[in-house]
Amino acid sequence: MKKITKVEDLTLLVTTPVPRDYPAKHLAKKSDKVMLVEDYVVRVTLEDGESVVIRVPKGYVTDGSSIPRLFHRLWHPFITESRWASCVHDYIYSHLYNFFSKEFADELLRFMVKRDGGHWFMQQAFHKAVRLNIKGGGW
């Protein structure tokens, strides 16, 4: 896998809360959820200079990285340095899995948490938690 060297936000992440029982087949029924009010677009640059643009569409529902609820006590995905990364990560897992590997999505999550000021332990905790591949609200 090529190393990620830069991630640029091309738009802002704008969301609104939705009820926990809001239908989203890729998420656990009891997880906290938000819906995108506008498209969220990022450009990911790789070590060889290649870049890819990822667009998460308006109306997409995310639960924030699908990490175990136990971690929400420390770093809730909607109010921490993982908020932006979580949205892209969830979208890759739920809709772009034919184009990007889980390893790429997980590394992108770690990179974006670091970019947004998350300290080393937070980066590792989120990365390891999503590698467990547990649906949100599971713990």
Side-chain angles (χ1 to χ4, degrees):
M1 182 176 79
K2 296 176 187 174
K3 182 179 176 183
I4 297 168
T5 60
K6 184 177 182 181
V7 178
E8 301 169 82
D9 298 308
L10 302 180
T11 63
L12 294 175
L13 176 63
V14 181
T15 62
T16 189
V18 294
R20 284 188 176 163
D21 62 354
Y22 190 88
K25 66 181 178 181
H26 60 284
L27 301 175
K29 290 183 180 180
K30 64 181 179 175
S31 65
D32 295 330
K33 298 174 181 75
V34 295
M35 178 186 293
L36 274 69
V37 175
E38 300 175 8
D39 290 356
Y40 173 51
V41 184
V42 297
R43 178 183 296 123
V44 181
T45 304
L46 305 174
E47 63 188 332
D48 62 0
E50 178 185 356
S51 67
V52 61
V53 174
I54 300 171
R55 181 182 66 84
V56 183
K58 173 183 175 179
Y60 180 70
V61 177
T62 179
D63 68 352
S65 296
S66 300
I67 64 170
R69 287 184 73 80
L70 172 67
F71 287 105
H72 287 203
R73 299 262 185 224
L74 298 171
W75 306 293
H76 196 285
F78 300 138
I79 59 172
T80 65
E81 294 86 350
S82 70
R83 181 172 180 258
W84 300 61
S86 298
C87 178
V88 176
H89 183 268
D90 270 6
Y91 190 67
I92 291 173
Y93 261 49
S94 66
H95 287 75
L96 299 179
Y97 51 85
N98 287 328
F99 302 99
F100 300 101
S101 67
K102 287 185 176 187
E103 292 78 17
F104 174 82
D106 296 344
E107 182 57 25
L108 181 57
L109 173 78
R110 189 201 60 74
F111 188 94
M112 288 180 72
V113 168
K114 180 179 181 179
R115 177 201 71 173
D116 293 343
H119 52 77
W120 180 87
F121 185 77
M122 179 184 223
Q123 296 166 42
Q124 299 307 312
F126 270 80
H127 186 262
K128 299 294 185 227
V130 297
R131 293 298 298 155
L132 294 174
N133 199 20
I134 299 170
K135 280 199 169 191
W139 292 9

